[in-house]
Amino acid sequence: MKKVFLLSLSLVLGLGAFAQNRVMKNDAQKAVANSKVVAVGNEMTTDASTYAPQASKSVVINRYQDMEDAEAIWTNYDLQSNQYVANRMYQLPNGNVAVTATMSHEANQTASDRGTGYNFYNGNDWNDMPETRVEPFKTGWPSIAQFGSNGEILLAHGNGHMQCFIRTTAGEGDWTYVGALPDYPESYAYTTEYPTWPRIVTCGDNHDIAVAAAVLQHSISSDETDLQTVMWRSENPADINSWTISYGPLHETGWDHNQFSADDYCIAANGHNVAILYSGCLTNSVWMFKSTDDGATWESTRVWENPYEGREFDEEPAWGMEDTLFMPMNGSIVIDNAGTVHVALNTFEMIHSLENEPGYYSYWSGRSVDGILYWNDTQVAPIQSTDGNPHHAARLWWPSEESGYVHMVNDSTKWIGFIPLFEGYSWENDKYYMSGTEYISKFYGASGHPALSCDPYGNLACAFSTPDVRRDNGANYYRSVFVSYLNVEEGYWHQIEDDLFEDVMLMYSEGVFTSAVQNTINPGEYWFSYQADDAIGFYWGSNATQTAATENVIHAVKIIADPEFINVEETAAVDVINGIYPNPATDYIVVNSAMDANATITFVNLAGQTVTSFNKALTIGENTISIDLESGIYFCTVNANGFNKTTKVIVK
């Protein structure tokens, strides 16, 4: 099982109030919270405080075109992952989609019927929800991918091995049992366990090469486990004798042994490119490995560097965590058609509690430290902090000039999303954290389970699960699934644009365990799945938060994004300026630039008089520019790269 060092959970859910420094486009909604929580050792004290207004996008689902949302699978078995779900969906070139889940219809902890729940969309309709598992024996944690031009391949662990099934026509006919994959690399020291928690992709000219990842977990004693990541590969997956097993590419770094474990990884493929992300370890960095030859060889990238790499948190406090550490956990990965690897990571904060006995540290998760981080492999690695402090490389919220307040870093090229704010709704700490349970560790950061989907142009959508202050059961917040978008030509995220739980039928449901079709066939179209549950928490797993099993539904949803999230025409892409906002403005504007460029910014009043004009060096993304203008209506013109963009701006 995953090592967890949460010996002391001190959840700092509202470290001060929010000062406005991050502006998102369109209508603003003001939010007010009623408390500021400060950690004192392992206790919390609450002071009266309020949040300053924070601009937030009005979340209206698919306001431009219809969304298709289907109930694909139902299951009493609710623990779809130890941390996050990956590689549960794919789309064929003809538009058909398959989705899987761990399914059991027994409302008890036995789950003797547990196995792969599978459903298929034929371009018009989904099949009826399945009543029986795919396999003839008990399995769990299925992973699925396209196989060949129109087939599919399925992996799941169970019955003492990693099990493989194939069918040549997706969605039709019986599955062919390929057999049990090899259990161990040649040099593995133990022979009593087998690999579990698989992820599979197919690559090559015709999706005919399979690459899969899993983990070996050998229990040495009640408190010690030997962990090793492994990988399979086959150029003829239908032949069980063609499969080879080796240690995963992480093994070559020296950080494989006893580091990453169950569901700490996800894998992606596109053409001959394959990438795997290891991101679920408290004591290590985030690693990405990329192959351009169908998984035969790998190159490593340390996406985020843990300044205490390899150090266990149950060591003496003197080992020197001198600063709070903002770190990632849940991850998602996708490769676009150009071969660029895109990564989403949720974040949280922790600090060693030096005042306490060895082994204690505080894990902080909540509004003022929350976020989903974005990186791609054209950018600098490891991810760098704006202040040069490695503890802050994964930090979203920063102290404001006003004591006790925090503000969001003004760079939506880096941040995908966070807990949304809504007018008239307060944040209550007790409604977020379920005291005495491990429920929170399934997410670590408040916003968790990110899932990336990429269209043919390279535009991205990311769905993630997060507490929704608008919905609660009286004791705890339900989690909703929100979606953010990135236009590849703009390079920044339109954050929290869609809410998959706006449907009244989901008003009293919790959304967790998002997954995605990694590469869709139509521009501006994205596919996701998620688990909806009428009861907060989980029935399966240690320290279960539900007293009895409930009925959970796996939803599959197709989203047609706002056209502004699809690439602009190539002839217009050279225009530097993507947008000028907010509007109305106060003491600053944001100029979003598609490239680094020198610009001239001019404000003209309604009488045609130039009020101010100045030069500004723009960088890619959002550029915050201070203005000192009287209230009124102006025309703001930005001239850069031979193009002019003029926007009417109301200054208040």
Side-chain angles (χ1 to χ4, degrees):
M1 298 297 291
K2 175 185 288 295
K3 285 190 176 181
V4 178
F5 307 105
L6 303 183
L7 301 180
S8 171
L9 290 175
S10 179
L11 298 178
V12 180
L13 303 178
L15 281 175
F18 287 89
Q20 173 62 42
N21 193 37
R22 165 73 180 99
V23 178
M24 293 190 291
K25 295 171 64 177
N26 300 313
D27 299 333
Q29 292 189 347
K30 296 180 180 179
V32 177
N34 57 11
S35 64
K36 176 173 67 176
V37 181
V38 181
V40 180
N42 290 320
E43 300 178 354
M44 294 186 298
T45 61
T46 303
D47 301 318
S49 185
T50 59
Y51 288 112
Q54 170 69 32
S56 182
K57 180 76 169 66
S58 173
V59 282
V60 181
I61 193 163
N62 290 299
R63 58 192 75 78
Y64 297 95
Q65 299 190 45
D66 291 336
M67 178 190 74
E68 297 183 30
D69 192 332
E71 295 184 346
I73 302 166
W74 78 271
T75 174
N76 289 120
Y77 192 92
D78 60 357
L79 191 62
Q80 292 296 322
S81 171
N82 293 282
Q83 290 299 328
Y84 51 96
V85 175
N87 305 90
R88 293 282 180 94
M89 304 180 75
Y90 74 87
Q91 185 175 34
L92 291 170
N94 63 7
N96 296 350
V97 174
V99 62
T100 59
T102 302
M103 181 182 76
S104 171
H105 291 168
E106 294 179 4
N108 57 66
Q109 292 280 354
T110 304
S112 61
D113 67 336
R114 194 186 72 182
T116 298
Y118 170 94
N119 207 331
F120 187 75
Y121 174 75
N122 64 11
N124 295 305
D125 298 298
W126 286 89
N127 295 336
D128 293 334
M129 287 194 285
E131 291 298 326
T132 59
R133 65 194 178 200
V134 168
E135 307 88 349
F137 40 74
K138 184 176 181 179
T139 66
W141 270 255
S143 183
I144 197 166
Q146 179 181 344
F147 175 57
S149 59
N150 194 41
E152 54 193 347
I153 184 169
L154 173 72
L155 282 189
H157 71 245
N159 205 33
H161 304 280
M162 187 64 66
Q163 310 289 353
C164 181
F165 297 81
I166 283 177
R167 54 182 175 184
T168 56
T169 302
E172 297 181 14
D174 295 332
W175 290 86
T176 298
Y177 178 49
V178 175
L181 301 190
D183 288 327
Y184 313 106
E186 186 174 345
S187 61
Y188 188 63
Y190 309 101
T191 58
T192 55
E193 278 86 14
Y194 62 95
T196 49
W197 291 284
R199 309 281 191 263
I200 189 170
V201 292
T202 53
C203 52
D205 293 328
N206 193 35
H207 291 273
D208 49 2
I209 299 174
V211 180
V215 66
L216 278 166
Q217 301 183 108
H218 174 76
S219 179
I220 297 174
S221 65
S222 60
D223 59 355
E224 184 178 1
T225 302
D226 182 86
L227 305 169
Q228 300 284 341
T229 61
V230 294
M231 180 166 286
W232 295 273
R233 188 175 183 274
S234 173
E235 296 187 5
N236 183 17
D239 178 8
I240 191 62
N241 296 314
S242 71
W243 288 84
T244 60
I245 188 172
S246 62
Y247 292 109
L250 184 67
H251 192 74
E252 299 301 318
T253 68
W255 292 118
D256 180 40
H257 186 66
N258 286 341
Q259 296 289 320
F260 297 85
S261 60
D263 293 343
D264 284 353
Y265 41 84
C266 48
I267 190 169
N270 191 337
H272 296 284
N273 296 307
V274 186
I276 184 168
L277 180 76
Y278 296 94
S279 65
C281 182
L282 288 171
T283 60
N284 210 298
S285 301
V286 173
W287 290 90
M288 188 274 289
F289 297 86
K290 185 176 182 179
S291 170
T292 57
D293 55 5
D294 302 305
T297 61
W298 301 87
E299 292 188 2
S300 65
T301 300
R302 190 188 268 108
V303 176
W304 171 83
E305 185 171 9
N306 188 333
Y308 308 106
E309 194 173 73
R311 301 298 301 270
E312 301 247 355
F313 285 98
D314 55 359
E315 296 180 11
E316 294 287 336
W319 61 269
M321 181 184 277
E322 70 275 5
D323 196 356
T324 58
L325 177 62
F326 296 81
M327 71 178 300
M329 180 60 69
N330 300 169
S332 180
I333 191 170
V334 71
I335 306 175
D336 65 26
N337 288 345
T340 300
V341 179
H342 303 269
V343 171
L345 297 162
N346 81 328
T347 60
F348 63 99
E349 181 183 11
M350 61 183 181
I351 183 172
H352 213 293
S353 299
L354 302 179
E355 298 85 357
N356 296 293
E357 62 184 90
Y360 276 75
Y361 75 93
S362 298
Y363 155 48
W364 298 351
S365 174
R367 206 168 234 184
S368 64
V369 296
D370 179 57
I372 305 291
L373 169 67
Y374 170 72
W375 176 87
N376 68 61
D377 69 347
T378 69
Q379 299 173 346
V380 174
I383 296 168
Q384 301 296 307
S385 170
T386 55
D387 67 353
N389 185 339
H391 294 79
H392 300 162
R395 186 171 192 169
L396 171 58
W397 300 97
W398 292 79
S400 174
E401 293 180 0
E402 185 175 354
S403 178
Y405 283 69
V406 295
H407 67 84
M408 183 183 296
V409 63
N410 191 17
D411 184 3
S412 60
T413 64
K414 186 176 181 180
W415 296 103
I416 295 172
F418 44 87
I419 302 170
L421 313 179
F422 297 99
E423 183 177 1
Y425 291 89
S426 300
W427 174 267
E428 298 181 43
N429 296 348
D430 291 341
K431 287 187 177 181
Y432 167 61
Y433 177 53
M434 302 177 73
S435 180
T437 74
E438 291 183 4
Y439 172 74
I440 208 74
S441 70
K442 300 305 178 187
F443 312 97
Y444 279 86
S447 295
H449 303 168
L452 284 171
S453 185
C454 183
D455 77 1
Y457 287 176
N459 303 309
L460 299 174
C462 182
F464 61 96
S465 169
T466 195
D468 192 333
V469 296
R470 302 167 302 175
R471 304 188 303 115
D472 63 68
N473 63 2
N476 298 106
Y477 291 127
Y478 291 104
R479 302 180 72 90
S480 292
V481 177
F482 293 93
V483 186
S484 300
Y485 302 90
L486 179 143
N487 182 315
V488 67
E489 296 294 343
E490 295 175 338
Y492 68 92
W493 285 89
H494 298 257
Q495 297 166 325
I496 317 174
E497 290 286 346
D498 283 318
D499 175 9
L500 301 190
F501 274 65
E502 270 199 338
D503 191 322
V504 67
M505 299 300 292
L506 295 171
M507 182 180 299
Y508 299 108
S509 294
E510 169 146 277
V512 291
F513 298 132
T514 54
S515 192
V517 168
Q518 291 180 331
N519 296 96
T520 62
I521 65 168
N522 295 319
E525 177 183 296
Y526 308 96
W527 285 85
F528 297 102
S529 66
Y530 60 86
Q531 178 174 293
D533 185 2
D534 291 345
I536 294 174
F538 305 117
Y539 178 57
W540 268 266
S542 58
N543 292 327
T545 53
Q546 294 179 3
T547 57
T550 58
E551 210 172 275
N552 306 270
V553 177
I554 307 298
H555 288 246
V557 54
K558 178 177 75 174
I559 293 178
I560 308 296
D562 181 335
E564 75 172 287
F565 306 135
I566 303 174
N567 285 7
V568 295
E569 294 294 329
E570 186 172 325
T571 56
V574 293
D575 193 345
V576 175
I577 308 306
N578 292 317
I580 303 169
Y581 46 89
N583 198 2
T586 51
D587 55 352
Y588 70 94
I589 59 169
V590 174
V591 176
N592 191 286
S593 179
M595 64 180 70
D596 294 344
N598 294 319
T600 299
I601 301 172
T602 304
F603 282 84
V604 176
N605 61 22
L606 290 177
Q609 299 168 323
T610 298
V611 178
T612 184
S613 182
F614 53 91
N615 297 324
K616 178 70 176 180
L618 302 178
T619 58
I620 295 175
E622 295 179 328
N623 298 264
T624 299
I625 300 168
S626 298
I627 58 175
D628 184 14
L629 298 173
E630 295 181 356
S631 299
I633 299 174
Y634 300 86
F635 293 94
C636 175
T637 298
V638 180
N639 185 311
N641 197 35
F643 285 84
N644 292 317
K645 187 177 187 69
T646 300
T647 299
K648 183 170 72 173
V649 176
I650 300 172
V651 176
K652 290 188 173 181

